[in-house]
Amino acid sequence: MAIRLALLSNAGGSGKTTLAVHLAYLLGNAGFSVALVDLDPQGSCSLMGGLPRPHPDQTIAAVLRDDFQGNWPTTPLWQDQVKNVVAVQGEMGLVKTINELVLHERGAYLLGDRLLDYPLPQDILIFDCPATLGPLPLIALSACTHLLVPIQVEPKSADGSGKLIEWFYHNSRRLRLKPEPQILGFVPNQYDKTIAIHRNILASLEPQLSKLSIHCFQPIRFSSEFKNASALGLPIHLYRPLHPACKDFTPIVTKITQLLKKSKTKHE
Protein backbone atom coordinates (compact mmCIF):
# COMPACT_ATOMS: atom_id res chain seq x y z
CA MET A 1 0.00 0.00 0.00
CA ALA A 2 1.19 3.52 -0.77
CA ILE A 3 1.73 5.97 2.05
CA ARG A 4 -1.39 8.13 2.23
CA LEU A 5 -0.71 11.39 4.01
CA ALA A 6 -3.62 13.65 5.01
CA LEU A 7 -2.94 17.28 5.89
CA LEU A 8 -5.62 18.31 8.35
CA SER A 9 -6.34 21.65 9.98
CA ASN A 10 -9.53 23.13 11.37
CA ALA A 11 -8.31 26.71 11.00
CA GLY A 12 -7.91 28.70 7.82
CA GLY A 13 -4.56 30.29 7.07
CA SER A 14 -2.53 27.46 8.59
CA GLY A 15 -0.38 27.06 5.48
CA LYS A 16 -1.85 23.64 4.75
CA THR A 17 -1.84 23.88 0.94
CA THR A 18 1.59 25.52 0.94
CA LEU A 19 2.91 22.55 2.91
CA ALA A 20 1.13 20.02 0.68
CA VAL A 21 2.50 21.54 -2.53
CA HIS A 22 6.05 21.81 -1.23
CA LEU A 23 6.07 18.24 0.07
CA ALA A 24 4.79 17.00 -3.29
CA TYR A 25 7.61 18.77 -5.11
CA LEU A 26 10.37 17.79 -2.68
CA LEU A 27 9.37 14.12 -2.52
CA GLY A 28 9.09 14.02 -6.30
CA ASN A 29 12.49 15.65 -6.59
CA ALA A 30 13.85 12.97 -4.26
CA GLY A 31 12.76 10.31 -6.74
CA PHE A 32 9.42 9.19 -5.33
CA SER A 33 6.21 9.23 -7.36
CA VAL A 34 3.60 11.51 -5.82
CA ALA A 35 -0.13 12.17 -6.29
CA LEU A 36 -1.40 15.41 -4.73
CA VAL A 37 -5.15 14.98 -4.15
CA ASP A 38 -6.99 18.28 -3.60
CA LEU A 39 -10.07 17.77 -1.43
CA ASP A 40 -10.64 21.51 -0.98
CA PRO A 41 -13.49 23.15 -2.95
CA GLN A 42 -11.33 26.27 -3.27
CA GLY A 43 -8.91 24.30 -5.45
CA SER A 44 -5.86 26.08 -4.06
CA CYS A 45 -3.51 23.32 -5.21
CA SER A 46 -4.31 24.25 -8.80
CA LEU A 47 -3.25 27.84 -8.18
CA MET A 48 -0.08 26.96 -6.30
CA GLY A 49 0.80 24.30 -8.83
CA GLY A 50 0.35 26.60 -11.81
CA LEU A 51 -2.57 24.63 -13.24
CA PRO A 52 -5.65 26.04 -14.98
CA ARG A 53 -9.01 25.54 -13.34
CA PRO A 54 -10.29 22.09 -14.30
CA HIS A 55 -13.55 20.96 -15.84
CA PRO A 56 -15.74 19.40 -13.11
CA ASP A 57 -15.45 15.99 -14.80
CA GLN A 58 -11.68 16.16 -14.36
CA THR A 59 -11.58 16.59 -10.58
CA ILE A 60 -11.75 14.54 -7.40
CA ALA A 61 -15.51 15.21 -7.37
CA ALA A 62 -15.83 12.90 -10.39
CA VAL A 63 -13.88 10.20 -8.54
CA LEU A 64 -16.37 10.29 -5.67
CA ARG A 65 -19.43 9.83 -7.91
CA ASP A 66 -21.09 6.41 -8.04
CA ASP A 67 -20.45 6.12 -11.80
CA PHE A 68 -16.66 6.36 -11.40
CA GLN A 69 -14.93 3.52 -13.25
CA GLY A 70 -11.28 4.00 -12.37
CA ASN A 71 -10.04 6.69 -14.74
CA TRP A 72 -8.32 8.96 -12.23
CA PRO A 73 -8.08 12.53 -13.64
CA THR A 74 -4.39 13.17 -12.96
CA THR A 75 -2.51 16.21 -14.28
CA PRO A 76 1.32 16.55 -14.23
CA LEU A 77 2.86 19.20 -11.99
CA TRP A 78 6.09 21.06 -12.85
CA GLN A 79 6.82 18.52 -15.57
CA ASP A 80 9.76 20.53 -16.85
CA GLN A 81 11.40 19.99 -13.44
CA VAL A 82 10.05 16.66 -12.15
CA LYS A 83 8.49 13.77 -14.08
CA ASN A 84 6.75 11.89 -11.30
CA VAL A 85 4.35 14.32 -9.59
CA VAL A 86 0.67 14.58 -10.52
CA ALA A 87 -2.37 16.35 -9.11
CA VAL A 88 -5.99 15.29 -8.80
CA GLN A 89 -7.56 18.73 -8.78
CA GLY A 90 -10.38 20.08 -6.62
CA GLU A 91 -12.98 22.72 -7.44
CA MET A 92 -16.35 24.11 -6.35
CA GLY A 93 -18.19 20.96 -7.42
CA LEU A 94 -16.98 19.48 -4.14
CA VAL A 95 -19.56 21.63 -2.34
CA LYS A 96 -22.26 19.43 -3.87
CA THR A 97 -20.19 16.36 -3.04
CA ILE A 98 -20.24 17.30 0.65
CA ASN A 99 -24.03 17.03 0.75
CA GLU A 100 -23.95 13.74 -1.15
CA LEU A 101 -21.41 12.24 1.23
CA VAL A 102 -23.69 12.87 4.21
CA LEU A 103 -26.45 10.81 2.58
CA HIS A 104 -24.28 8.12 0.95
CA GLU A 105 -24.35 4.70 2.62
CA ARG A 106 -20.55 4.51 2.37
CA GLY A 107 -19.99 8.27 2.71
CA ALA A 108 -17.20 8.32 5.27
CA TYR A 109 -15.35 5.47 3.55
CA LEU A 110 -15.86 6.53 -0.06
CA LEU A 111 -12.33 7.74 -0.83
CA GLY A 112 -10.85 4.62 0.73
CA ASP A 113 -13.26 2.50 -1.33
CA ARG A 114 -12.11 4.18 -4.53
CA LEU A 115 -8.46 3.62 -3.70
CA LEU A 116 -9.16 -0.02 -2.85
CA ASP A 117 -11.08 -0.67 -6.06
CA TYR A 118 -8.92 1.53 -8.32
CA PRO A 119 -5.50 2.05 -6.65
CA LEU A 120 -3.30 4.93 -7.70
CA PRO A 121 0.22 3.70 -8.56
CA GLN A 122 2.20 6.45 -6.83
CA ASP A 123 4.48 5.84 -3.84
CA ILE A 124 2.74 8.51 -1.77
CA LEU A 125 -0.65 10.21 -1.93
CA ILE A 126 -1.01 13.61 -0.25
CA PHE A 127 -4.55 14.67 0.66
CA ASP A 128 -4.95 18.45 0.96
CA CYS A 129 -8.14 18.90 3.02
CA PRO A 130 -10.32 21.95 3.59
CA ALA A 131 -9.94 23.83 6.88
CA THR A 132 -12.97 22.22 8.51
CA LEU A 133 -13.79 19.02 10.38
CA GLY A 134 -16.57 18.05 7.98
CA PRO A 135 -17.26 15.25 5.49
CA LEU A 136 -14.26 15.84 3.20
CA PRO A 137 -11.62 15.65 5.97
CA LEU A 138 -13.52 12.63 7.29
CA ILE A 139 -13.09 10.67 4.04
CA ALA A 140 -9.41 11.63 4.07
CA LEU A 141 -9.10 10.36 7.65
CA SER A 142 -10.66 7.01 6.79
CA ALA A 143 -8.45 6.61 3.72
CA CYS A 144 -5.09 7.79 5.07
CA THR A 145 -2.24 5.98 6.76
CA HIS A 146 -0.62 9.09 8.28
CA LEU A 147 -1.53 12.66 9.27
CA LEU A 148 0.28 15.97 9.41
CA VAL A 149 -1.27 18.94 11.20
CA PRO A 150 -0.11 22.39 10.05
CA ILE A 151 -0.78 25.03 12.67
CA GLN A 152 -0.43 28.78 12.49
CA VAL A 153 1.37 30.11 15.56
CA GLU A 154 -1.56 32.29 16.60
CA PRO A 155 -3.86 31.91 19.67
CA LYS A 156 -6.95 30.88 17.67
CA SER A 157 -5.13 28.16 15.75
CA ALA A 158 -3.38 26.87 18.85
CA ASP A 159 -6.69 26.60 20.70
CA GLY A 160 -8.30 24.81 17.74
CA SER A 161 -5.59 22.16 17.62
CA GLY A 162 -6.98 20.56 20.77
CA LYS A 163 -10.38 20.19 19.13
CA LEU A 164 -8.74 18.60 16.09
CA ILE A 165 -6.99 15.99 18.23
CA GLU A 166 -10.29 15.16 19.95
CA TRP A 167 -11.97 14.88 16.53
CA PHE A 168 -9.22 12.56 15.31
CA TYR A 169 -9.44 10.09 18.18
CA HIS A 170 -13.24 10.19 18.31
CA ASN A 171 -13.68 9.46 14.60
CA SER A 172 -10.89 6.89 14.45
CA ARG A 173 -12.83 4.91 17.07
CA ARG A 174 -16.26 5.63 15.56
CA LEU A 175 -15.18 4.52 12.09
CA ARG A 176 -13.25 1.57 13.56
CA LEU A 177 -10.12 2.44 11.61
CA LYS A 178 -7.66 -0.42 11.84
CA PRO A 179 -4.86 0.30 11.86
CA GLU A 180 -5.51 3.78 13.20
CA PRO A 181 -3.74 6.46 11.15
CA GLN A 182 -0.48 7.66 12.66
CA ILE A 183 -0.02 11.35 13.50
CA LEU A 184 3.42 12.21 12.12
CA GLY A 185 3.36 15.51 13.93
CA PHE A 186 2.35 19.14 14.05
CA VAL A 187 4.01 21.69 11.77
CA PRO A 188 4.10 25.27 13.11
CA ASN A 189 3.71 27.55 10.12
CA GLN A 190 4.34 31.20 9.24
CA TYR A 191 6.63 31.52 12.24
CA ASP A 192 8.32 34.84 12.96
CA LYS A 193 10.82 34.59 15.79
CA THR A 194 10.74 38.37 16.28
CA ILE A 195 7.09 38.20 17.42
CA ALA A 196 6.71 37.38 21.10
CA ILE A 197 3.36 35.58 20.79
CA HIS A 198 4.86 33.25 18.17
CA ARG A 199 7.74 32.37 20.48
CA ASN A 200 5.40 31.86 23.43
CA ILE A 201 2.97 29.62 21.55
CA LEU A 202 5.78 27.51 20.10
CA ALA A 203 7.37 27.15 23.54
CA SER A 204 4.07 25.92 25.05
CA LEU A 205 3.03 23.78 22.07
CA GLU A 206 5.98 21.39 22.15
CA PRO A 207 5.55 20.14 25.77
CA GLN A 208 1.77 19.87 25.34
CA LEU A 209 2.19 17.66 22.28
CA SER A 210 4.94 15.67 23.97
CA LYS A 211 2.49 14.64 26.70
CA LEU A 212 0.34 13.12 23.95
CA SER A 213 3.37 11.46 22.31
CA ILE A 214 2.90 13.71 19.26
CA HIS A 215 5.96 15.12 17.55
CA CYS A 216 6.35 18.84 16.86
CA PHE A 217 8.46 19.63 13.80
CA GLN A 218 10.64 22.71 13.63
CA PRO A 219 8.62 25.71 12.42
CA ILE A 220 8.41 26.89 8.83
CA ARG A 221 9.24 30.56 8.87
CA PHE A 222 7.10 33.37 7.58
CA SER A 223 8.20 34.86 4.27
CA SER A 224 6.35 36.87 1.65
CA GLU A 225 8.33 34.89 -0.91
CA PHE A 226 5.90 31.99 -0.44
CA LYS A 227 3.13 34.18 -1.85
CA ASN A 228 5.33 35.40 -4.67
CA ALA A 229 6.24 31.82 -5.58
CA SER A 230 2.64 30.57 -5.43
CA ALA A 231 1.52 33.42 -7.70
CA LEU A 232 3.75 31.85 -10.35
CA GLY A 233 2.57 28.32 -9.54
CA LEU A 234 5.96 27.33 -8.12
CA PRO A 235 7.34 25.96 -4.86
CA ILE A 236 9.82 28.30 -3.25
CA HIS A 237 12.62 25.84 -4.09
CA LEU A 238 12.14 26.61 -7.79
CA TYR A 239 11.39 30.31 -7.33
CA ARG A 240 14.16 31.14 -4.83
CA PRO A 241 16.31 28.00 -4.40
CA LEU A 242 18.76 29.72 -2.02
CA HIS A 243 16.09 31.19 0.26
CA PRO A 244 16.61 30.13 3.93
CA ALA A 245 13.02 28.84 4.17
CA CYS A 246 13.87 26.04 1.72
CA LYS A 247 15.66 24.21 4.54
CA ASP A 248 12.66 24.38 6.88
CA PHE A 249 10.96 21.47 5.09
CA THR A 250 13.95 19.11 5.44
CA PRO A 251 12.97 17.39 8.74
CA ILE A 252 9.47 16.60 7.43
CA VAL A 253 10.77 15.29 4.10
CA THR A 254 13.37 13.19 5.93
CA LYS A 255 10.69 11.61 8.13
CA ILE A 256 8.42 10.82 5.18
CA THR A 257 11.36 9.45 3.17
CA GLN A 258 12.14 7.06 6.02
CA LEU A 259 8.53 5.85 5.99
CA LEU A 260 8.57 5.36 2.22
CA LYS A 261 11.81 3.37 2.29
CA LYS A 262 10.53 1.26 5.17
CA SER A 263 7.26 0.59 3.33
CA LYS A 264 9.08 -0.32 0.13
CA THR A 265 11.41 -2.73 1.97
CA LYS A 266 8.46 -4.35 3.75
CA HIS A 267 6.68 -5.12 0.48
CA GLU A 268 9.70 -6.34 -1.49
Side-chain angles (χ1 to χ4, degrees), residues 141-203:
L141 175 67
S142 69
C144 75
T145 58
H146 298 80
L147 276 77
L148 267 180
V149 182
I151 177 173
Q152 192 176 10
V153 278
E154 299 289 347
K156 183 179 179 180
S157 296
D159 180 65
S161 63
K163 297 181 177 66
L164 188 146
I165 293 173
E166 291 177 7
W167 177 89
F168 165 72
Y169 287 118
H170 169 73
N171 284 290
S172 293
R173 291 191 297 268
R174 182 174 70 86
L175 299 176
R176 300 190 177 187
L177 302 182
K178 295 182 180 180
E180 186 177 275
Q182 177 186 348
I183 301 177
L184 287 187
F186 275 54
V187 183
N189 247 320
Q190 303 174 42
Y191 178 70
D192 186 339
K193 64 181 181 181
T194 68
I195 299 177
I197 190 64
H198 286 199
R199 298 195 304 271
N200 293 340
I201 289 176
L202 185 62

Side-chain angles (χ1 to χ4, degrees), residues 35-68:
L36 176 58
V37 181
D38 191 355
L39 289 167
D40 193 336
Q42 296 185 41
S44 298
C45 286
S46 298
L47 174 65
M48 293 190 178
L51 299 176
R53 290 294 180 182
H55 187 278
D57 289 339
Q58 293 297 308
T59 70
I60 188 65
V63 174
L64 298 174
R65 291 202 300 253
D66 284 338
D67 60 355
F68 181 67

Side-chain angles (χ1 to χ4, degrees), residues 8 61 103 109 153 188 256:
L8 291 177
L103 300 174
Y109 305 95
V153 278
I256 297 171

Side-chain angles (χ1 to χ4, degrees), residues 1-7 19-20 22-37 74 77 84-88 115 120-127 143-148 184 252-261 263-264:
M1 179 188 291
I3 298 295
R4 301 174 182 174
L5 177 65
L7 272 63
L19 180 59
H22 282 77
L23 291 180
Y25 169 74
L26 290 169
L27 291 166
N29 195 49
F32 299 102
S33 56
V34 184
L36 176 58
V37 181
T74 57
L77 284 167
N84 48 356
V85 181
V86 299
V88 180
L115 289 167
L120 281 165
Q122 281 77 18
D123 298 318
I124 180 167
L125 316 181
I126 300 175
F127 304 143
C144 75
T145 58
H146 298 80
L147 276 77
L148 267 180
L184 287 187
I252 310 170
V253 173
T254 299
K255 178 64 176 178
I256 297 171
T257 298
Q258 292 171 350
L259 288 173
L260 286 164
K261 290 181 177 178
S263 178
K264 189 168 289 189

Side-chain angles (χ1 to χ4, degrees), residues 20 93 127 132 143 235 240:
F127 304 143
T132 68
R240 287 281 305 279

